[in-house]
Amino acid sequence: MDPRVALVTAATAAAAWFLLRRVRCTQLTASDYIKALDLIAHPEGGYFRETFRAGSTAMASKGKTDKGGDLMAAKTPAGEPRCDGGERNVLTSIYYCLTRDSPRQWWANNMSDHIHYWHAGSSLTYHIVHPDGSYERQVLGPNAVLGETMQLVVRGGSFKCAHLEAGDFVLLGEGVAPGFDFRDFNFVTAPELKALAVSAGVPARYDHLKSFIKDLPESEFDDFYDKPTTRS
């Protein structure tokens, strides 16, 4: 065979393989991702799996700092050392997925910086009250021309919730530094959210935003690891 013909044939086959693979990836469902990535129910809603905890085995410390891992000094937004010696693992990362049957990430507050990375599915709407008290609505998604962002930074000390407005699911990644620890985390109550809405200058939004408050919030989270389910 003429080498030029062979080269064209090989290039055509490679392009066809790439396109077929891409089509197959875009056809994956929420159930496909949940099964393939071994996601389990998350206390904030949706499904997750910790994939990295610096110097440690992911998931082993059940969402808390592993003292045997890579550690850094960590402070509260007020500048005080955090509980339990003030140390946290340097970095953690998770897969996180919201679906039609679990479309909300409930209002919560966390001390660490979060970076959210869009991976697949639909867009995700965030409502954020920043540490300075200002309110912001952001959309995490692939449609840059419509103002969506594929990376969303939420600074430590912020209050946030998220919800799936359209589509069947969204899959994203979350990097957290200092690393995630449930002792740095709190669900938001209705009185807290009402005060936040007033101070942020958006009191008219309260009736809508309160629908993202968890009715029966947990204070302990080990059961999500000890008795994992795919329902949240």
Side-chain angles (χ1 to χ4, degrees), residues 29-35 39-41 44-48 96-105 120-124 162-172 230-232:
T29 66
S31 295
D32 292 332
Y33 280 114
I34 289 169
K35 183 177 180 180
L39 307 184
I40 60 174
E44 290 181 80
Y47 307 91
F48 87 109
Y96 186 61
C97 182
L98 289 179
T99 65
R100 272 292 125 215
D101 69 314
S102 187
R104 297 178 178 88
Q105 183 180 35
S122 301
S123 303
L124 183 62
H163 57 107
L164 191 64
E165 291 192 281
D168 293 327
F169 76 96
V170 60
L171 177 69
L172 57 141
T230 53
R231 300 288 297 182
S232 58

Side-chain angles (χ1 to χ4, degrees), residues 85-145:
E87 290 185 320
R88 294 293 182 263
N89 295 123
V90 174
L91 177 71
T92 58
S93 183
I94 67 169
Y95 282 122
Y96 186 61
C97 182
L98 289 179
T99 65
R100 272 292 125 215
D101 69 314
S102 187
R104 297 178 178 88
Q105 183 180 35
W106 307 111
W107 274 106
N109 168 259
N110 196 285
M111 294 185 190
S112 291
D113 295 341
H114 284 53
I115 305 179
H116 308 73
Y117 301 92
W118 183 88
H119 289 327
S122 301
S123 303
L124 183 62
T125 300
Y126 282 85
H127 300 278
I128 306 161
V129 178
H130 295 285
D132 65 2
S134 62
Y135 165 82
E136 183 178 20
R137 178 184 179 275
Q138 281 273 18
V139 179
L140 183 75
N143 247 321
V145 294

Side-chain angles (χ1 to χ4, degrees), residues 9-228:
T9 302
T12 303
W17 176 86
F18 175 79
L19 289 172
L20 179 60
R21 182 179 173 86
R22 186 173 181 182
V23 168
R24 284 175 176 168
C25 287
T26 59
Q27 291 175 341
L28 290 178
T29 66
S31 295
D32 292 332
Y33 280 114
I34 289 169
K35 183 177 180 180
L37 301 176
D38 199 18
L39 307 184
I40 60 174
H42 192 285
E44 290 181 80
Y47 307 91
F48 87 109
R49 176 154 294 273
E50 185 178 271
T51 57
F52 179 79
R53 181 171 288 272
S56 181
T57 301
M59 297 291 282
S61 61
K62 301 177 184 178
K64 298 187 182 74
T65 300
D66 181 351
K67 293 291 190 179
D70 298 335
L71 299 172
M72 64 179 291
K75 295 183 178 181
T76 68
E80 299 296 325
R82 298 190 193 176
C83 69
D84 194 25
E87 290 185 320
R88 294 293 182 263
N89 295 123
V90 174
L91 177 71
T92 58
S93 183
I94 67 169
Y95 282 122
Y96 186 61
C97 182
L98 289 179
T99 65
R100 272 292 125 215
D101 69 314
S102 187
R104 297 178 178 88
Q105 183 180 35
W106 307 111
W107 274 106
N109 168 259
N110 196 285
M111 294 185 190
S112 291
D113 295 341
H114 284 53
I115 305 179
H116 308 73
Y117 301 92
W118 183 88
H119 289 327
S122 301
S123 303
L124 183 62
T125 300
Y126 282 85
H127 300 278
I128 306 161
V129 178
H130 295 285
D132 65 2
S134 62
Y135 165 82
E136 183 178 20
R137 178 184 179 275
Q138 281 273 18
V139 179
L140 183 75
N143 247 321
V145 294
L146 297 181
E148 297 179 358
T149 179
M150 296 180 72
Q151 296 184 13
L152 174 63
V153 176
V154 178
R155 299 304 303 268
S158 299
F159 297 79
K160 72 171 182 180
C161 72
H163 57 107
L164 191 64
E165 291 192 281
D168 293 327
F169 76 96
V170 60
L171 177 69
L172 57 141
E174 289 189 16
V176 183
F180 184 87
D181 190 311
F182 273 117
R183 292 167 296 185
D184 302 331
F185 165 93
N186 288 289
F187 283 113
V188 177
T189 66
E192 286 174 328
L193 181 61
K194 192 165 190 176
L196 286 169
V198 171
S199 65
V202 289
R205 290 182 179 266
Y206 172 71
D207 285 341
H208 172 60
L209 297 178
K210 71 180 181 181
S211 64
F212 309 119
I213 296 173
K214 191 167 189 178
D215 289 333
L216 298 170
E218 300 85 359
S219 57
E220 296 293 333
F221 305 98
D222 282 2
D223 275 356
F224 284 86
Y225 297 85
D226 294 334
K227 303 172 185 178

